[in-house]
Amino acid sequence: MTTVRRAVLTLPAAPLGPDNPLPALRAPAGAGAHAVDPRTLAELPRDMARGIGRDPLRSLLPAPVRDGYGRERTPADLDTIVIENDRLRVTVLPGLGGRVHSLHHKPTGRELLYRNPVFQPAAFALNGAWFSGGVEWNIGATGHTTLSCSPLHAATVRAPDGGPMLRLWEWERLRDLPFQVDLWLPEGSDFLYVGVRIRNPHERTAPVYWWSNIAVPEDRRVLAPADAAWHHGYERGLSRVPVPVTEDGTDRTYPLNSTHAADWFYDLPEGRRHWIAALDADGTGLVQTSTDPLRGRKLFVWGTGRGGRRWQEWLTEPGTPGYAEIQAGLARTQLEHLELAAGAEFSWLEAYGPIAADPATALGEDWSAARADVERSLSGALPRAAVDAAYTAWREGAADLAPEEVLAAGSGWGALEVLRGGHDLPGTPFPESTLGPDQEPWRELLRTGVLPAPVNGAAHLIAPLVASPWRDMLETAPADPTTEYQLGIAQWHAGDRAQAVRSWERGLKEAGTRWPLLYCLAVADREDGHPERAADHFTEAFADHEATADGAEAATGSGTTTAGADDDEGRALVATALGREALDALLAVDRPDRARALWHRLPDSARRRGAFRLIEVRLLLAERRPDEARAVFDAGFEVADLREGAEVLGELWQRFTDELLPDAYEFRMRPS
């Protein structure tokens, strides 16, 4: 019989650390890596171009940036949920986005996924922390979800066949939508079934993005029912190319045949069964298939170049095998977003399991024969009609069932939205009992019409909310500095930047603690093309926080405050975040003297971090001290939150030498 149970997985793990304390007013830092240049956009099919241009993120609000992790790993216990029958054992990480860590096929003893032997966050999620391996559920916007390293609600539910099913659910905050992922193993099944539902409880159309990303060993051949694919590299292009052999004569269905990182979005014909498979030299491996709404299929490769290999090492341990990703999504490409009507839902069923094909055919040069052989094998193991029937049974008989035993808790944001909007969401309860300290100020605003002032006037201690109903409430609340700060954030998110600046300026006139408002004004200056003024505001924000921190220490005589929110660690966290912004702004306008003065005022712990060693190189170069800048590289440093597609290390290296960039600093993902 199928069982669902709690367990613990011990891995070498880098701690996530604290979130960045500054509001995420800007669009994702890595957005450019997924962009399409305007000329290419004009040549695409009209519906694809519309999807690519639909509702791009103006900011990451209300999600926080997660950049507090490092690179030092120690053994740690991770809570897991194990779903098991006599054929498969599935290990899920509910505290890390509901990631499927392992899919073990018991009869053959094979692991069907790429299973990362460590937990190492890196800056690939829209808001920072992300890790590689397994199957991840990506919702929100182009890129890896902000929930990559966040807990989801988890509970057991009755599956369509009466056995136990694991339900994962949360409220996705970028698009303000609830979703659920139901996982179950029918008795005797070689396939994991996954039912997914995204609901729009609002009275407006919502943009929707979903991709299930499946990591597999890269020494595979990837097959899908397509003769063409949309190729996207890190040169901002999107072009339709033949599959499997591209114009240069290379068979791109083998990940190790590509030199540079790239996406291949397979152009599946209408009416064909949707599937994708990754097979080893014996013709065995993993297949994923779904009902028709999950339209897209993709292969992502890191490539065999120095940058791709370095990223693979960065995300796991040197000497371990590399991986590629096969993926499935709602649109043809990950650059597109769909529209979900008010009160409507998207739902579908996916199935994951082993596949065995004739290696001579499936790995041969005849692409049509290779695909047909895999499809015959899939049809024998799991007919298309069985997938459709499983979806109907799940959607009509199980998707709305109430959870039974709660196994893990997510955030309280869904409960707050249900409390405000009175949403009826059968199957995914968000009870008031899940509300926590982050939601309490907003619950008070909802109850009284007044946003309570935080201890010591530190407005940043209230996590922002930006949806239009909350913005409306802020506009009618008493206009104190805390409310003006939060109102400005909501207005900024809505695209009303001029009004946001006015709100922040009003709040600044009466604020005792000024740096949160000064920080917001600095970002507005930079985004509006006033870099000199931005540098002044960032520097002033840093100085105000410094003075506030000194005053708090003097008032208590111990370096702490009564609330504990501005204790030594908290003050250092804010000083580090503000200092990084201020130094970057000062160097951008060629003010190395002021940058050096601020450098000396940073916490010692900040100056030792890799991100600040990188700033130190920039500062030394601005001071015309190239030999000392080279010495920082020679001593060695690691920027834990280096962004996907970042080329800054190579650019700085070339400013003081013509030598080859050392492998340790080679993260470039596109051809030079």
Side-chain angles (χ1 to χ4, degrees), residues 321-620:
Y323 76 96
E325 285 186 358
I326 57 175
Q327 306 180 8
L330 285 174
R332 279 172 296 185
T333 74
Q334 284 178 329
L335 311 177
E336 302 166 74
H337 296 75
L338 304 184
E339 288 185 331
L340 182 57
E345 70 172 49
F346 287 136
S347 62
W348 64 92
L349 186 129
E350 305 179 41
Y352 296 78
I355 190 77
D358 174 24
T361 304
L363 307 181
E365 295 183 2
D366 187 333
W367 179 241
S368 296
R371 289 181 341 207
D373 188 64
V374 173
E375 193 149 1
R376 276 194 300 272
S377 179
L378 173 60
S379 296
L382 186 66
R384 182 177 185 178
V387 175
D388 293 339
Y391 166 76
T392 300
W394 166 74
R395 182 61 193 88
E396 295 180 357
D400 286 346
L401 291 179
E404 298 175 356
E405 181 187 0
V406 174
L407 301 176
S411 77
W413 295 113
L416 185 68
E417 292 302 327
V418 168
L419 189 64
R420 181 202 58 76
H423 305 302
D424 182 24
L425 300 168
T428 55
F430 294 96
E432 287 191 47
S433 60
T434 60
L435 292 169
D438 283 345
Q439 292 81 43
E440 191 54 41
W442 298 100
R443 187 183 191 183
E444 186 70 9
L445 174 65
L446 188 61
R447 187 177 66 85
T448 67
V450 178
L451 186 68
V455 175
N456 299 322
H460 74 289
L461 296 179
I462 297 178
L465 282 177
V466 295
S468 56
W470 297 106
R471 187 173 72 249
D472 292 343
M473 281 184 270
L474 288 169
E475 287 175 344
T476 58
D480 58 37
T482 296
T483 302
E484 295 286 15
Y485 169 75
Q486 293 288 348
L487 175 58
I489 291 174
Q491 291 165 333
W492 179 269
H493 173 76
D496 193 351
R497 293 188 171 186
Q499 189 58 53
V501 169
R502 284 192 286 271
S503 295
W504 292 326
E505 289 175 340
R506 283 196 305 268
L508 197 60
K509 293 177 182 178
E510 298 181 8
T513 301
R514 294 162 51 85
W515 68 260
L517 293 148
L518 289 167
Y519 164 76
C520 292
L521 290 170
V523 173
D525 288 334
R526 182 153 61 187
E527 296 294 297
D528 290 342
H530 304 293
E532 298 275 353
R533 199 164 66 199
D536 290 338
H537 272 138
F538 278 125
T539 306
E540 190 179 354
F542 182 87
D544 181 76
H545 176 265
E546 192 175 39
T548 302
D550 290 343
E553 287 192 27
T556 63
S558 62
T560 61
T561 65
T562 54
D566 265 341
D567 59 13
D568 289 342
E569 185 177 345
R571 286 197 295 271
L573 181 64
V574 175
T576 298
L578 286 174
R580 190 172 179 180
E581 295 279 3
L583 287 168
D584 182 71
L586 288 168
L587 291 173
V589 294
D590 195 24
R591 295 182 185 174
D593 293 344
R594 292 184 62 184
R596 177 61 68 181
L598 192 148
W599 173 268
H600 290 302
R601 292 150 56 193
L602 288 170
D604 291 339
S605 59
R607 287 197 296 266
R608 291 192 296 267
R609 291 178 55 181
F612 283 86
R613 300 299 305 280
L614 179 61
I615 290 174
E616 185 180 12
V617 171
R618 295 174 57 201
L619 179 54
L620 289 166

